Amino acid sequence: MKKIVAILSVLTLFSGCIGNDYSSVEIVENSPYPEFIYLNKDMIKMVVNKTSEKPVSDYFFIIFDGAYIDKNNYSKLAVRTPLWRFGSIFVNDDIKAKNGLIFLNSDFVGTPDLKYNMPLNYNDIIVYNKNYGIFIEIGHEYTSAEIIAENLSRNKYFMEHTNDIAGKNIINRTIIEKDDILIGTYVLESGIPIGDINNSLFKMDITSTS
């Protein structure tokens, strides 16, 4: 933990180098984990401030682009930052720096299957696995979400009839069939319990043929 704090402190000194905003397509393509949860810098701020004893300055978060969490092991984390090369100062068995990422307790695992990777509007939170992709944007009044899944009758039934996503009631929905893919666009109640992200939070009764 001390080394992680040291890394972040060093990076903050160079935070005049502003991070980038990546599209949902770029985020999925560049994931170091086949199945992952991605949080952009705004969501990282929400998580840190929710779990920290004291509020953290907005200035601190300038250095981040986002963070990937390995969906199969929540202790594995990859932080995307334009200052990733400075992470090499602290490299050991638990910390690695490569390809724009600082890995904590992990390394590159593999690339995702891109069949659910489409140009979408939302990238505050992305949940991506072998069965579906969920793309979420947190708004002040509403939360918006898009679900991409294989065009199977079971998946369509779930997407048309589920009452909530991540515990938030669905206000409105549109389901589009596009070749072998289903695209569900949802308007939800405001907010996502971001500090409690885990596999059960985004568990969907959605499957795939692969």
Side-chain angles (χ1 to χ4, degrees), residues 135-188:
F135 303 80
I136 297 173
E137 181 179 78
I138 309 297
H140 293 294
E141 296 184 11
Y142 303 103
T143 292
S144 300
E146 291 178 300
I147 299 178
I148 311 297
E150 283 191 34
N151 191 356
L152 304 176
S153 57
R154 173 179 171 178
N155 294 345
K156 185 177 181 182
Y157 182 87
F158 173 82
M159 292 168 68
E160 289 179 339
H161 293 88
T162 184
N163 294 318
D164 68 90
I165 296 174
K168 296 299 177 180
N169 290 330
I170 295 171
I171 298 171
N172 192 15
R173 83 185 80 201
T174 302
I175 310 297
I176 298 173
E177 297 184 59
K178 187 175 182 181
D179 299 325
D180 57 347
I181 292 293
L182 292 169
I183 304 173
T185 302
Y186 300 84
V187 178
L188 315 174

Side-chain angles (χ1 to χ4, degrees), residues 98-146:
K98 62 177 72 172
N99 301 327
L101 296 163
I102 296 177
F103 291 88
L104 307 175
N105 302 316
S106 72
D107 202 340
F108 179 84
V109 176
T111 56
D113 185 331
L114 301 180
K115 62 184 174 183
Y116 310 126
N117 192 25
M118 304 177 64
L120 299 174
N121 298 317
Y122 313 133
N123 61 8
D124 285 350
I125 304 171
I126 296 176
V127 182
Y128 203 94
N129 64 22
K130 64 181 181 180
N131 293 329
Y132 55 80
I134 307 175
F135 303 80
I136 297 173
E137 181 179 78
I138 309 297
H140 293 294
E141 296 184 11
Y142 303 103
T143 292
S144 300
E146 291 178 300

Side-chain angles (χ1 to χ4, degrees), residues 5-39:
V5 172
I7 289 174
L8 299 180
S9 299
V10 169
L11 293 179
T12 303
L13 293 176
F14 294 90
S15 58
C17 181
I18 305 300
N20 301 301
D21 290 323
Y22 292 96
S23 69
S24 61
V25 169
E26 291 173 311
I27 291 167
V28 174
E29 287 178 344
N30 292 303
S31 171
Y33 309 127
E35 298 187 306
F36 64 89
I37 295 175
Y38 176 86
L39 308 177

Side-chain angles (χ1 to χ4, degrees), residues 13-70:
L13 293 176
F14 294 90
S15 58
C17 181
I18 305 300
N20 301 301
D21 290 323
Y22 292 96
S23 69
S24 61
V25 169
E26 291 173 311
I27 291 167
V28 174
E29 287 178 344
N30 292 303
S31 171
Y33 309 127
E35 298 187 306
F36 64 89
I37 295 175
Y38 176 86
L39 308 177
N40 72 7
K41 67 175 68 177
D42 294 328
M43 297 302 103
I44 294 174
K45 177 182 174 182
M46 288 178 62
V47 171
V48 171
N49 282 328
K50 183 171 182 177
T51 57
S52 176
E53 294 181 0
K54 296 181 180 180
V56 180
S57 170
D58 290 351
Y59 185 72
F60 175 78
F61 297 97
I62 294 175
I63 63 175
F64 299 110
D65 293 330
Y68 295 92
I69 303 167
D70 186 339

